[in-house]
Amino acid sequence: MGKINVLEKHVAELIAAGEVVERPASVAKELVENAVDAGATGVTVEIRNGGTTFLRVADDGCGIAREDVPLAFLSHATSKISGREDLDSIATLGFRGEALASVAAVGRVELLTRTAEELAGTHYVIDGEGEHICEDAGCPKGTTFVVRDLFYNTPARMKFLKKDVTEGNAVAAVVDKAALSHPEVSFRFLRDGRETLHTPGDGRVKSAVYAVYGKEFTSGMIPVEYELNGIKLSGFVCKPSAARPNRSMQNFFINGRYVRTRTASVALEEAFKGSLMVGKIPSCVLHLRIPFGTVDVNVHPTKLEVRFINEKPVFDAVYHGVKTALNRGDTPTVLSLHGESRTQLPSVPNAVQIRFPAGPEEKPEDARFPRVPPVREKSYAVNDSACDIEADDLPEVSAPAPRAVPASGFGAMTVSKRPEEAADSFPAAAPERVEGTPGPVSVPAAQAREEAPEEPERLLGEAFGTYIVLERGECLVFVDKHAAHERMLYEKLKNEGGNAFCQMLLEPVPVTLEKNEYSAVLESLGLCRQAGFELEDFGGGTVLVRSAPMILNDGDISGAVMEIAGYLAENKNDLTTRKIDWLYHNVACRAAVKAGDNTSPMELAALARRVEREDVRYCPHGRPVSFLLRKKDLERQFGRIQ
């Protein structure tokens, strides 16, 4: 007896539906694309409970004729193509003829439609069990689909659905992409009875970008208009100063279809090379118009992937178009001091001008280093220090505080080798000691009995604004100040928790996120709170930052939240402990003193002391904090020894 069975029709449809309909967002995408193909000028999408129990898509397009309504729900039935040759130049968003059949196989579908030629509309009801109603109905021209109880007959698939908030944000992302791809269509999105998006439909890409992403995002964009080798490029790219920490805001549209294309993404980032900070990625809303026969959209049922006959013209068009836009639009910020004209004194006759004598002129060698502020009492932290150091770590000085001295005179600043030497480190300058010259170092008696006395560390200076240089016995020690400070802040956050360093902001900071990131953040508000961020849902893909770790600068708050959102969206399945550990890494890295920052000699000495005292060896990312250069190796380089 044979083992091969021919599956029944409804079983085959359920299998096919699994490729097309993965979640409510898949249904919304297929129905919205059909509405755009129908020539609609207005599309309304409404969902309840994330779209699982109710999803409605209404448009004012051409509608479906009465005799075509039953045929539209058959597999491989479509009005977009009619033969094999049409696959070589697909100009519509939909063409497979699988969407309506797949949706009807896993949901309860109700349809209202009417064409301009018909006097009465059609009311049609169908689900996985078959057709139920087909009758006349009064309705405006266009089509309205209502899908209820999605996956009611496939409970296994329903178990894989996320929370209503997550599924709703996925539907919102679909509507956002549709609004950006077709600015000539007015889109409305209703979520649980509340309107969260309404685009004007005036045909201007900038209007759609403003409606979807808001004022702040739009204000940081540069217009792009370019044509090369028959490929037209239009839209917007961000200014280098408005770049983001991930690629979630890169939007590419080919012939009105939202796609994911590595070719265009690489070309975009290559065009920004030399203009962005390390770790920043440009965002964009770019439309490409290319000949239909040069691109294949029949790659995957979701139609998000495309293939080009020749990728080089696409790469060149995006690269040169973006480069040209940056050269024209990325102008430096001009600061105008408006107060000069208002504060200028009027010309008064017989007025006497009084000049005050200037202060004592500083010597050239004194100008090389800033004045060192007086040291505070040991029980208080020096909060305004770039390195967040404690007063205990600063050298003891006699009043008045001496000037910082050149590198050759750092001998008075020593770094203790062990915690028990804290009181003896950086001894106060003796009266007979000449400022800037090395002085005697006291060694505890216990240490002297146990081992031979070692010469303490001596601060020589700073190299390249990044590396602290110390002399320790027969070695030179190089310390990466950013890596060291980052490790210290990380351990402090980890031991005391982010809430211990949290402070309320005088003015909340709005942060616009991509819908998947937005959903991930809302699901992890408690986790963000542990890291010191108090976030509040502002709606429409925006969160408000009410409080943030006080070790962050104001300019780092928005970027930190974007990075956190990107990480949470990509690592949803990670353990909570791993997530909170990454958050501490991120905050510590942003708050730590940066390479190239101006750091005073006092702070360098204190930071070096803490590195030795706390035995800091690696930064949170695993990079070494310091390394040694032995005197023998140095002398060997100069040929002093063999």
Side-chain angles (χ1 to χ4, degrees), residues 287-367:
H287 289 257
L288 289 92
R289 289 290 175 182
I290 66 177
F292 296 114
T294 62
V295 58
D296 182 12
V297 299
N298 189 21
V299 178
H300 192 272
T302 59
K303 301 187 285 290
L304 289 176
E305 301 176 11
V306 295
R307 291 176 182 170
F308 303 103
I309 292 179
N310 188 359
E311 294 184 349
K312 190 175 186 307
V314 178
F315 181 95
D316 291 343
V318 174
Y319 177 83
H320 293 292
V322 173
K323 202 73 174 177
T324 302
L326 287 175
N327 291 336
R328 293 177 180 175
D330 185 26
T331 56
T333 304
V334 179
L335 298 178
S336 58
L337 302 178
H338 301 287
E340 290 182 355
S341 59
R342 293 193 298 266
T343 57
Q344 185 176 2
L345 294 176
S347 177
V348 180
N350 301 325
V352 179
Q353 186 174 9
I354 302 176
R355 294 182 179 272
F356 293 93
E361 186 176 359
E362 294 187 352
K363 299 179 181 180
E365 59 270 14
D366 293 335

Side-chain angles (χ1 to χ4, degrees), residues 174-186:
V174 168
V175 180
D176 288 348
K177 297 297 188 290
L180 295 174
S181 63
H182 293 275
E184 74 280 2
V185 181
S186 176

